[in-house]
PDB file of all heavy atoms in Angstrom:
ATOM      1  N   TRP K  85       0.653  11.853  30.086  1.00 92.00           N
ATOM      2  CA  TRP K  85      -0.580  11.088  30.255  1.00 92.00           C
ATOM      3  C   TRP K  85      -1.808  11.967  30.026  1.00 92.00           C
ATOM      4  O   TRP K  85      -1.768  13.167  30.266  1.00 92.00           O
ATOM      5  CB  TRP K  85      -0.625  10.487  31.653  1.00 92.00           C
ATOM      6  CG  TRP K  85       0.406   9.428  31.862  1.00 92.00           C
ATOM      7  CD1 TRP K  85       1.731   9.620  32.121  1.00 92.00           C
ATOM      8  CD2 TRP K  85       0.210   8.021  31.818  1.00 92.00           C
ATOM      9  NE1 TRP K  85       2.368   8.397  32.239  1.00 92.00           N
ATOM     10  CE2 TRP K  85       1.451   7.402  32.067  1.00 92.00           C
ATOM     11  CE3 TRP K  85      -0.908   7.201  31.587  1.00 92.00           C
ATOM     12  CZ2 TRP K  85       1.610   6.025  32.090  1.00 92.00           C
ATOM     13  CZ3 TRP K  85      -0.747   5.829  31.625  1.00 92.00           C
ATOM     14  CH2 TRP K  85       0.501   5.241  31.864  1.00 92.00           C
ATOM     15  N   ARG K 105      22.490   1.405  20.681  1.00 96.00           N
ATOM     16  CA  ARG K 105      23.662   0.744  21.273  1.00 96.00           C
ATOM     17  C   ARG K 105      24.573   1.778  21.947  1.00 96.00           C
ATOM     18  O   ARG K 105      25.020   1.584  23.076  1.00 96.00           O
ATOM     19  CB  ARG K 105      24.433  -0.016  20.187  1.00 96.00           C
ATOM     20  CG  ARG K 105      25.507  -0.961  20.697  1.00 96.00           C
ATOM     21  CD  ARG K 105      25.989  -1.895  19.585  1.00 96.00           C
ATOM     22  NE  ARG K 105      26.127  -1.220  18.298  1.00 96.00           N
ATOM     23  CZ  ARG K 105      27.219  -0.548  17.911  1.00 96.00           C
ATOM     24  NH1 ARG K 105      28.265  -0.481  18.708  1.00 96.00           N
ATOM     25  NH2 ARG K 105      27.261   0.022  16.734  1.00 96.00           N
ATOM     26  N   LYS K 110      18.374  -0.836  26.411  1.00 97.00           N
ATOM     27  CA  LYS K 110      18.261  -2.298  26.586  1.00 97.00           C
ATOM     28  C   LYS K 110      16.918  -2.802  26.071  1.00 97.00           C
ATOM     29  O   LYS K 110      15.891  -2.134  26.199  1.00 97.00           O
ATOM     30  CB  LYS K 110      18.344  -2.646  28.072  1.00 97.00           C
ATOM     31  CG  LYS K 110      19.664  -2.220  28.729  1.00 97.00           C
ATOM     32  CD  LYS K 110      20.693  -3.322  28.580  1.00 97.00           C
ATOM     33  CE  LYS K 110      21.969  -3.006  29.357  1.00 97.00           C
ATOM     34  NZ  LYS K 110      22.944  -2.196  28.608  1.00 97.00           N
TER      35      LYS K 110
END
Side-chain angles (χ1 to χ4, degrees):
Chain K
W85 292 79
R105 191 167 40 86
K110 299 272 187 273

